[in-house]
Amino acid sequence: MSDSIFITGAAGHLGGKVIEHLLSRGVSPGLIVAGSRDPAKLASVAARGIEVREADFDDLPGLTRSFAGAATVLIVSTDTLTPEGRRQRQHRNAVDAAVAAGARRLAYTSLPEPTASPLSFAADHVRTEEALAASGLPVILFRNGWYQENLFMGLPSALKSGHWCTAAADGKTSYAARDEIAEAIAVVLANPPAGGHTYTLTGSEAFSVPEIAALARNATGRPLEVVDVTDEQFVAGLGPAGLPDFLIPVLASMEVATRSGSLGIVTGDLAGLIGRTPKPLATFFAEQAGALSR
Ligand SMILES: NC(=O)c1ccc[n+]([C@@H]2O[C@H](COP(=O)([O-])OP(=O)(O)OC[C@H]3O[C@@H](n4cnc5c(N)ncnc54)[C@H](OP(=O)(O)O)[C@@H]3O)[C@@H](O)[C@H]2O)c1
């Protein structure tokens, strides 16, 4: 298995799509290993001739065994946002396990300009990038911009109420389709560069909340008024939604990050890797108008 690629989080949206694109780029199923904490979730992947292994970043010895024989390990950042510090430990375990297992190259899904980011969880990515750099192995960083699919978090309820409360002011976001980010990752992993490399994978245009609201109005035919609020008012407005406590500072930090411009970075890396203009946000809206306004 000298050139094999281990994909963690393979049962998740991004990891699953990376595998799809590796296969469609002609990578043999025999060179791919798919990891999940629950391998049963990967039955359809296994049915395509891909080896499936348990991979839990909270279990360092088990993870080291799982990574055995993999030349490249793609560490997909976990969705663990609480308690503080756990995600950093998970990612450090993944780096340590890959090194101990003899991997020759590490890849990781990070965030654009993580050191400057006001996002509450940016430090997880900063610490992980540090651990990767300290590994001594070639490291491929995929600093992924905001998924278009993230709009499903708040937009449906905004469309229901007709109001989009935001503290982002005129800050912009360079949304990209998650599937195209996965495609770009697969392009790189199928033919990796000789050494390390950092890709910042963003959409080709950034939009402010009022601009996104206009796209949403056009696509759905629903009224949607943008209401500018302060950070404090934004947090207070989340109260009635009954969200888990840990999520409130996360969402508040997204507003601050948008306002600061750190989610609006635009690069040509995604377009360059997939060989076409990334899916415009207007196309996302045209495709998802029904689902967003349900
Ligand atoms: N750029 C963006 O806009 C954006 C948005 C949301 C999230 N993200 C980040 O990008 C990652 C991938 O996105 P996604 O859409 O594929 O998320 P997703 O569908 O929620 O997948 C999250 C993945 O994390 C894995 N995971 C959770 N805990 C783990 C653990 N202890 N050990 C190993 N794996 C673990 C899960 O694997 P199993 O459950 O199968 O073990 C799952 O595959 C997310 O996890 C998050 O870090 C980025």
Side-chain angles (χ1 to χ4, degrees):
M1 209 184 266
S2 59
D3 294 308
S4 70
I5 308 166
F6 196 114
I7 309 293
T8 76
H13 293 96
L14 186 78
K17 290 289 187 183
V18 171
I19 289 177
E20 288 293 331
H21 286 291
L22 284 171
L23 293 173
S24 66
R25 297 257 159 190
V27 175
S28 160
L31 291 178
I32 303 171
V33 185
S36 168
R37 287 169 298 178
D38 178 6
K41 289 197 277 189
L42 291 167
S44 62
V45 172
R48 301 176 75 175
I50 290 171
E51 187 182 347
V52 166
R53 295 187 194 164
E54 188 173 330
D56 182 350
F57 293 2
D58 288 313
D59 171 15
L60 178 58
L63 199 56
T64 307
R65 285 192 296 277
S66 289
F67 287 160
T72 298
V73 176
L74 171 65
I75 299 169
V76 172
S77 52
T78 73
D79 53 2
T80 308
L81 293 178
T82 184
E84 202 180 326
R86 182 168 173 206
R87 193 176 187 220
Q88 291 177 27
R89 281 195 299 281
Q90 290 176 334
H91 294 173
R92 208 166 41 240
N93 280 347
V95 174
D96 291 347
V99 170
R104 297 202 303 272
R105 178 186 300 107
L106 302 178
Y108 174 66
T109 60
S110 187
L111 185 76
E113 295 187 358
T115 46
S117 172
L119 288 168
S120 61
F121 49 86
D124 297 345
H125 294 295
V126 174
R127 296 286 99 77
T128 307
E129 289 196 7
E130 287 169 358
L132 288 159
S135 73
L137 294 175
V139 173
I140 303 175
L141 291 177
F142 298 106
R143 290 178 165 171
N144 298 337
W146 236 221
Y147 303 155
Q148 292 172 345
E149 288 77 4
N150 293 350
L151 286 163
F152 276 102
M153 286 192 290
L155 198 46
S157 62
L159 283 165
K160 270 196 187 80
S161 70
H163 295 100
W164 183 344
C165 294
T166 179
D170 55 359
K172 296 193 176 202
T173 304
S174 51
Y175 288 101
R178 180 168 47 203
D179 180 54
E180 289 186 335
I181 291 178
E183 183 180 350
I185 293 172
V187 167
V188 174
L189 295 184
N191 283 297
H197 198 88
T198 297
Y199 301 92
T200 299
L201 303 176
T202 72
S204 53
E205 211 179 334
F207 296 89
S208 66
V209 172
E211 290 165 341
I212 298 164
L215 289 171
R217 284 195 298 271
N218 287 345
T220 64
R222 296 270 187 91
L224 181 59
E225 184 194 346
V226 175
V227 181
D228 287 308
V229 296
T230 63
D231 289 325
E232 294 72 21
Q233 288 167 329
F234 180 82
V235 167
L238 293 176
L243 298 169
D245 283 351
F246 79 88
L247 211 48
I248 290 176
V250 174
L251 295 175
S253 78
M254 289 181 186
E255 297 295 298
V256 178
T258 307
R259 193 169 68 225
S260 77
S262 81
L263 293 176
I265 296 161
V266 172
T267 78
D269 289 356
L270 179 57
L273 287 169
I274 64 176
R276 60 180 185 275
T277 303
K279 183 195 285 188
L281 196 54
T283 306
F284 168 81
F285 273 111
E287 291 171 355
Q288 301 297 338
L292 285 165
S293 45
R294 229 170 255 147

